[in-house]
Amino acid sequence: MKRIKLSPSALACDFGNAATQIAASKEGGAEYLHLDVMDGIFVPNISFGQPVIKSLRKSSDLIFDVHLMITDPIRYIEDFAKAGSDIITIHSEATDDVEAALLKIRALGKKAGLSIKPKTDPKTIIPYLHLCDLVLVMTVEPGFGGQKFMADMLPKVSFLRDYAEANGLDYEISVDGGVAADNARMCVLAGANVLVAGSSVLGKEDIKHAAEELLAAARG
Ligand code: DX5
Ligand code: ZN
């Protein structure tokens, strides 16, 4: 089984205090930092882009797990690689050429991730799984933090974990949306090993404690 990793979502930060808050999540055991980029087209919300990532990069040595919720992501992959991303995740629904986008991420020396929205069947991404370092299963409709976790997405996680095992693939599986201490264990049991958490970690008063609590629950 893969090691369980916490990826706090910066979307829940108070951006005036982001460096301190992100450092607190690392003290609590976070290894990744999830960065949600939204363009107002692929999702009905706008968040932040390269300048914010570049700036956070100066104060954090966490693994930057960049989640591109943007249309035609290939246009901006190089910019996000330069801004300091370690993992770049695109959406299968956002492009006609998933393969080209994943290959571009890898050609830039970054880890390639592929995400699916709640209504997307994981079978549709089978042709690309051999090009993935990470597969991100959305457990809410993308666009906003603070939504309710959809437990009915977990069979997709199990399908993707079983597929990896049956086919000798080694991608990580991430769950994103509404993840908290009360559902982290079920995500792990389904086969996820990267837990993205916004409201339940960086949105809390005591961030270090929240991170520790979520990881303890996930490890069972
Ligand atoms: C939603 C984003 C999530 C979001 C998670 O579109 O992809 O990463 O920040 O926030 P919570 O954990 O509050 O649901
Ligand atoms: Zn996300």
Side-chain angles (χ1 to χ4, degrees):
M1 203 157 104
K2 288 195 175 293
R3 208 156 49 85
I4 298 164
K5 294 168 188 165
L6 174 61
S7 189
S9 173
L11 199 61
C13 273
D14 165 8
F15 271 94
N17 295 305
T20 312
Q21 294 188 342
I22 291 163
S25 74
K26 185 182 173 186
E27 272 181 54
E31 293 178 57
Y32 286 6
L33 179 68
H34 188 81
L35 295 146
D36 288 304
V37 178
M38 304 180 185
D39 66 354
I41 306 278
F42 181 70
V43 289
N45 197 9
I46 293 176
S47 58
F48 52 78
Q50 304 92 309
V52 169
I53 295 176
K54 203 172 159 192
S55 157
L56 293 175
R57 187 70 284 179
K58 291 183 203 154
S59 62
S60 177
D61 60 1
L62 288 169
I63 291 171
F64 276 18
D65 164 29
V66 174
H67 180 191
L68 296 183
M69 286 165 273
I70 65 176
T71 298
D72 290 334
I74 199 159
R75 298 175 295 153
Y76 291 104
I77 284 171
E78 196 164 347
D79 288 351
F80 283 100
K82 284 190 186 141
S85 312
D86 296 298
I87 306 167
I88 300 178
T89 296
I90 59 151
H91 266 269
S92 72
E93 308 88 352
T95 171
D96 292 334
D97 201 342
V98 171
E99 181 169 345
L102 295 173
L103 288 173
K104 181 154 188 176
I105 296 168
R106 284 188 160 182
L108 290 161
K110 306 300 175 186
K111 290 196 168 165
L114 184 59
S115 181
I116 51 173
K117 299 205 281 183
K119 291 191 184 75
T120 303
D121 186 333
K123 290 195 183 75
T124 62
I125 60 167
I126 286 178
Y128 315 112
L129 290 175
H130 66 290
L131 299 172
C132 294
D133 299 295
L134 179 143
V135 179
L136 188 161
V137 175
M138 288 304 307
T139 44
V140 298
E141 283 296 339
F144 299 90
Q147 302 181 78
K148 192 177 176 300
F149 177 78
M150 298 163 76
D152 55 341
M153 294 297 119
L154 293 180
K156 299 210 261 190
V157 172
S158 305
F159 170 83
L160 289 160
R161 177 53 64 216
D162 292 347
Y163 189 89
E165 269 156 34
N167 293 278
L169 299 176
D170 193 37
Y171 48 78
E172 298 197 291
I173 300 180
S174 177
V175 279
D176 182 8
V179 176
D182 63 356
N183 55 39
R185 186 67 187 155
M186 63 174 105
C187 295
V188 168
L189 291 175
N193 75 297
V194 179
L195 304 169
V196 176
S199 321
S200 66
V201 174
L202 287 169
K204 293 281 189 192
E205 197 64 42
D206 187 343
I207 292 169
K208 176 172 181 270
H209 176 74
E212 285 168 348
E213 197 177 52
L214 199 152
L215 275 169
R219 289 177 178 140

